[in-house]
Amino acid sequence: MKSDSFATRGNPTEAILFGVVPMGDPRTAAEALHELQQLAETAEFVAAGCMVQHRRHPDPHSYLGSGKLAELAEVVKLAHSGIVICDDSLTPNQGKAIEAATGVPCIDRSELILQIFGMHARTPQARLQVELAALQYEMPRLRRRWTHLERQRGGIGVRGGAGEKQIDVDRELLRNRIAAVGRELKRIEQHKVREVQARPELFTIAVVGYTNAGKSSLMNRLTDAGVLAENRLFSTLDTRTRPWRLPGGRTVLLTDTVGFLRKLPHQLVASFHATLEEALHADLLLVMVDGSSPEAAEQLRTVDEVLETLGAANLARITVFNKMDLVADPTTLAELWQAEPHAVAVSVATGAGMPDLMAAIQAHLAAVENRVEILLPHAAGALHAEIRAKATVLSEFYTADGCLMEIQASPALLGRLLAEGARVAEDRDRAERPAADDLTSSAPEPPADPAP
Ligand SMILES: Nc1nc2c(ncn2[C@@H]2O[C@H](COP(=O)(O)OP(=O)(O)OP(=O)(O)O)[C@@H](O)[C@H]2O)c(=O)[nH]1
Ligand SMILES: [Mg+2]
């Protein structure tokens, strides 16, 4: 392991966080590195100090520049820290320069995120995706890991040294493993695509948004999903879909997804996109934002950028500002409301605003789905329960020929109902029915038993 070759041994979990911020950035170091601190704590480090350097670009050789790097080394010594964590992705050489100056291991933002993903991956797909990203991250850094062997043989880069041979062997092993993991992932993904294609009749809603916005909490509140929701970044790494029964008895599918993050390591972007792929087949996106975060507007921009690169910018969406119970001064949300004037404000924790969210979803369904009146002959009565579960039933009335139903349904469901015995109602089917005004009062009650 890396730490074997380090001279200074401070507390291995106490970290000094550092980063480069643009010239003139008015934020304190703690403010600028707040997200990095959350990431570090999620990975079970303790932030022992923060340090930022104001410069236009990071130094290509040492990231901070030599003066600030010496300062960082001093802070590490004083705080007796065992590790330093950088807010950006470092090149292998920058990492090496920082470790040489501070005498402690240095991990960068990518490595930290990879570590968290590794800790939280639960399904076989998530584990393989993290493994693949970690292998790809490791590849260009092999040289840095083996320099202690090279040193024994008289200096870095001497061909034929023990380190050089070891690098070749490791590189070959890594390549083989990357190929094997890639094949296995492809197999799982193809299986998932088939699963997604197999259920087009139910309207699907995917919850997307920045990490920690409250996506899993919403899922838990609306369904009996029992998914993990906690105050950590990247609690959810895989996509999970559960049936959600709307008031009125109709069932839609709700999908919880991995959270977005600024500066995601590029090795993870592909697997992240693969994980989200399923959600992109949704009929509607709920884009969730933590309205109480001082960075809410920037987080929403990140989410929009990611949706754009995924080709999902034009999917139907409802933006949801969450954690309103924590917002003492609503004027802080002015920028958000300006960007998203049709958003719905809720608190998943207290339930405030949830009826508004429900109404927005119902209004969306009414706007996009086919509204038709069908006659379900007695012979096709077996379809009745399924219609109640999968479509919105606006009215129903029994006639001598069968059940006259005004429904709102997806084209796929409607197509099948018509193929299996239902037919579009005609004037003669409506002859026995009273005037429309009387019908609204007999709108169907939700069935008592749970939908299949
Ligand atoms: N005060 C408050 N806390 C909330 C609310 N909704 C969610 N939380 C908390 O926010 C934290 C994150 O919630 P999650 O549901 O795990 O968030 P997520 O978006 O699924 O996060 P990732 O899976 O990490 O992307 C948890 O501690 C929740 O209890 C809310 O309306 N108000
Ligand atoms: Mg979650």
Side-chain angles (χ1 to χ4, degrees):
M1 282 307 293
K2 260 193 269 178
S3 52
D4 291 348
S5 53
F6 290 102
T8 317
R9 279 164 205 259
N11 186 330
T13 59
E14 295 211 355
I16 302 293
L17 314 182
F18 67 99
V20 164
V21 295
M23 310 286 279
D25 188 326
R27 293 173 302 172
T28 63
E31 283 167 352
L33 298 177
H34 175 67
E35 186 171 276
L36 185 68
Q37 182 179 340
Q38 280 183 302
L39 284 168
E41 286 168 0
T42 299
E44 290 168 15
F45 290 109
V46 177
C50 284
M51 185 170 154
V52 292
Q53 160 84 313
H54 290 86
R55 43 187 307 156
R56 208 163 313 196
H57 304 292
D59 180 82
H61 305 295
S62 65
Y63 182 75
L64 283 177
S66 55
K68 202 72 180 180
L69 193 53
E71 241 179 76
L72 178 66
E74 197 55 34
V75 174
V76 167
K77 210 184 291 167
L78 285 174
H80 208 64
S81 294
I83 190 153
V84 291
I85 304 180
C86 179
D87 194 34
D88 281 298
S89 284
L90 296 169
T91 65
N93 280 338
Q94 286 171 330
K96 207 153 84 176
I98 294 165
E99 290 183 344
T102 58
V104 295
C106 169
I107 59 178
D108 67 8
R109 188 180 173 92
S110 297
E111 215 172 342
L112 189 60
I113 294 171
L114 279 170
Q115 229 174 73
I116 295 170
F117 271 56
M119 287 158 66
H120 294 181
R122 310 231 186 283
T123 61
Q125 186 185 21
R127 286 208 191 97
L128 286 169
Q129 282 168 344
V130 174
E131 184 183 350
L132 185 63
L135 291 168
Q136 288 165 341
Y137 177 86
E138 196 70 10
M139 199 67 160
R141 285 167 180 77
L142 277 179
R143 186 171 294 280
R144 182 167 133 214
R145 266 218 289 151
W146 291 104
T147 44
H148 62 293
L149 284 185
E150 285 170 342
R151 238 175 265 131
Q152 293 167 7
R153 295 288 181 109
I156 295 165
V158 178
R159 280 215 65 88
E164 197 68 35
K165 278 207 194 96
Q166 192 57 53
I167 289 167
D168 285 342
V169 173
D170 281 6
R171 203 170 271 154
E172 190 58 29
L173 287 174
L174 275 187
R175 255 191 226 114
N176 292 342
R177 184 67 196 147
I178 286 174
V181 172
R183 279 194 300 273
E184 181 57 17
L185 266 178
K186 195 157 268 162
R187 202 185 56 75
I188 295 181
E189 274 152 24
Q190 278 164 352
H191 179 74
K192 280 218 155 180
V193 168
R194 281 199 299 278
E195 262 181 15
V196 172
Q197 285 167 346
R199 50 174 196 229
E201 285 179 359
L202 286 180
F203 192 88
T204 58
I205 301 175
V207 191
V208 300
Y210 211 74
T211 181
N212 217 37
K215 303 178 293 297
S216 300
S217 305
L218 179 73
M219 176 99 167
N220 284 340
R221 189 170 183 110
L222 298 178
T223 74
D224 58 358
V227 290
L228 184 71
E230 51 183 355
N231 196 15
R232 292 174 146 218
L233 306 188
F234 297 118
S235 300
T236 309
L237 283 190
D238 42 19
T239 307
R240 241 176 278 188
T241 301
R242 292 284 181 278
W244 171 32
R245 198 153 156 228
L246 299 178
R250 175 187 183 165
T251 300
V252 296
L253 293 176
L254 198 63
T255 298
D256 184 21
T257 62
V258 57
F260 299 2
L261 187 80
R262 243 168 6 101
K263 299 198 256 185
L264 198 69
H266 68 88
Q267 296 88 350
L268 267 179
V269 169
S271 66
F272 179 85
H273 287 188
T275 309
L276 276 169
E277 182 72 11
E278 190 183 334
L280 300 180
H281 295 284
D283 299 299
L284 173 66
L285 294 182
L286 295 187
V287 179
M288 215 162 181
V289 187
D290 174 356
S292 72
S293 163
E295 271 119 44
E298 200 194 327
Q299 293 177 354
L300 182 58
R301 272 194 293 277
T302 302
V303 171
D304 282 333
E305 277 163 25
V306 178
L307 288 176
E308 175 113 37
T309 55
L310 291 170
N314 294 324
L315 282 186
R317 68 189 254 176
I318 296 174
T319 307
V320 183
F321 301 156
N322 186 30
K323 306 200 190 181
M324 293 304 284
D325 56 300
L326 300 178
V327 180
D329 174 10
T331 59
T332 56
L333 296 182
E335 193 183 345
L336 281 181
W337 282 117
Q338 203 165 13
E340 295 288 334
H342 302 295
V344 181
V346 303
S347 164
V348 172
T350 66
M354 295 303 279
D356 298 341
L357 177 59
M358 203 73 72
I361 292 172
Q362 302 271 26
H364 177 80
L365 283 169
V368 298
E369 284 190 329
N370 296 321
R371 188 171 172 158
V372 281
E373 198 170 18
I374 57 167
L375 184 90
L376 193 64
H378 295 305
L383 291 173
H384 192 264
E386 196 185 347
I387 296 174
R388 276 277 185 89
K390 294 184 176 175
T392 303
V393 179
L394 301 163
S395 71
E396 59 182 335
F397 184 76
Y398 284 90
T399 70
D401 296 328
C403 185
L404 191 60
M405 304 178 90
E406 194 185 359
I407 63 168
Q408 208 177 274
S410 69
L413 176 62
L414 193 59
R416 193 169 55 79
L417 294 176
L418 297 177
E420 291 186 9
R423 61 176 169 79
V424 176
E426 296 164 14
D427 281 347
R428 63 185 162 94
D429 299 320
R430 299 187 188 101
E432 294 174 42
R433 191 179 59 179
D437 288 353
D438 300 335
L439 270 181
T440 43
S441 56
S442 65
E445 286 298 315
D449 54 330

